[in-house]
Amino acid sequence: TGDRLKNACRKFLSLFLGAFTGISVFVATLVLWQNGKINESINIKSHIELKTKSAQSEILAHMTQRINGLVRMAKRFESFKNISMVEWETDLRLYIKHFPAYQAIGWADASAHIQWVVPQDKSETFRGMDIFSGKKPQTAQGDYDAGVTPIVELSHGEKGFFVYAPISDSAGEPAGYTVAFVQLKKLL
């Protein structure tokens, strides 16, 4: 009976140790696998953040060039009051052709209401719109103030925002804005 008891204890101990070892290996494998999944998730998040920051930088650099062009137009408008409407429209059409994200470019009066735009077929959509929707504009300081409005949705569901550059009269008083509507879908 003593030998049978020893054999039974050895068998039980052998089964217990085997089961304990198997469970330990299984748990260790799960922990390592989960750790790998966490690291993979962290790497993916870091990669996405890096790509997002890169895209933001590219868009900002691209938009800065276009905003500076709009500021130059505003300053040109201030300086050359005798330029004909035909010359302005030709210049603006060319600008839109070179930067298709601009759906329309035009002039808003000192109260920020759009008076005319190029191309003419966009006139009905934009004419009379208040580019600031009645709110005080946020401007970025630089050589000249220029700004970007919050995203707006047009009546036909298109989303975008206005980029604007103020125009002053010969006395330095506000005379309006050079304004462009940027289509989000063409920008991205």
Side-chain angles (χ1 to χ4, degrees):
T1 28
D3 285 337
R4 278 193 338 181
L5 185 58
K6 283 183 186 179
N7 283 339
C9 283
R10 280 187 197 142
K11 217 178 201 183
F12 175 75
L13 190 57
S14 177
L15 285 172
F16 177 75
L17 286 174
F20 180 75
T21 303
I23 290 171
S24 296
V25 168
F26 178 73
V27 168
T29 301
L30 280 177
V31 167
L32 290 173
W33 176 77
Q34 185 64 28
N35 190 31
K37 287 303 230 182
I38 290 170
N39 285 338
E40 181 182 5
S41 177
I42 290 169
N43 287 339
I44 288 170
K45 286 179 184 176
S46 295
H47 183 72
I48 289 171
E49 286 175 12
L50 182 64
K51 290 289 188 184
T52 301
K53 286 179 183 177
S54 175
Q56 287 173 338
S57 293
E58 284 181 40
I59 290 171
L60 181 61
H62 191 63
M63 284 305 300
T64 299
Q65 289 177 333
R66 300 307 175 190
I67 291 171
N68 288 340
L70 205 62
V71 169
R72 283 190 300 277
M73 279 185 215
K75 295 307 154 195
R76 188 168 155 230
F77 196 84
E78 288 175 353
S79 301
F80 302 103
K81 302 252 187 239
N82 59 350
I83 294 177
S84 74
M85 189 61 127
V86 172
E87 288 175 288
W88 274 114
E89 288 178 358
T90 302
D91 198 25
L92 296 179
R93 274 193 208 89
L94 184 61
Y95 201 77
I96 291 169
K97 179 180 177 183
H98 290 160
F99 187 52
Y102 280 168
Q103 181 181 7
I105 302 175
W107 174 72
D109 61 18
S111 70
H113 289 86
I114 297 173
Q115 299 301 311
W116 57 263
V117 296
V118 170
Q120 289 294 324
D121 64 336
K122 303 294 182 189
S123 185
E124 188 175 310
T125 301
F126 294 103
R127 189 172 166 83
M129 280 183 81
D130 179 351
I131 62 173
F132 303 128
S133 300
K135 299 174 187 153
K136 186 177 181 216
Q138 299 288 323
T139 58
Q141 298 297 320
D143 290 339
Y144 302 106
D145 291 341
V148 176
T149 68
I151 293 175
V152 295
E153 186 171 340
L154 300 178
S155 59
H156 56 280
E158 185 165 9
K159 291 183 180 181
F161 54 90
F162 290 104
V163 177
Y164 59 90
I167 299 170
S168 299
D169 64 17
S170 57
E173 295 296 317
Y177 302 88
T178 300
V179 60
F181 183 75
V182 180
Q183 295 173 301
L184 280 181
K185 68 181 179 184
K186 286 192 177 179
L187 182 62
L188 305 173

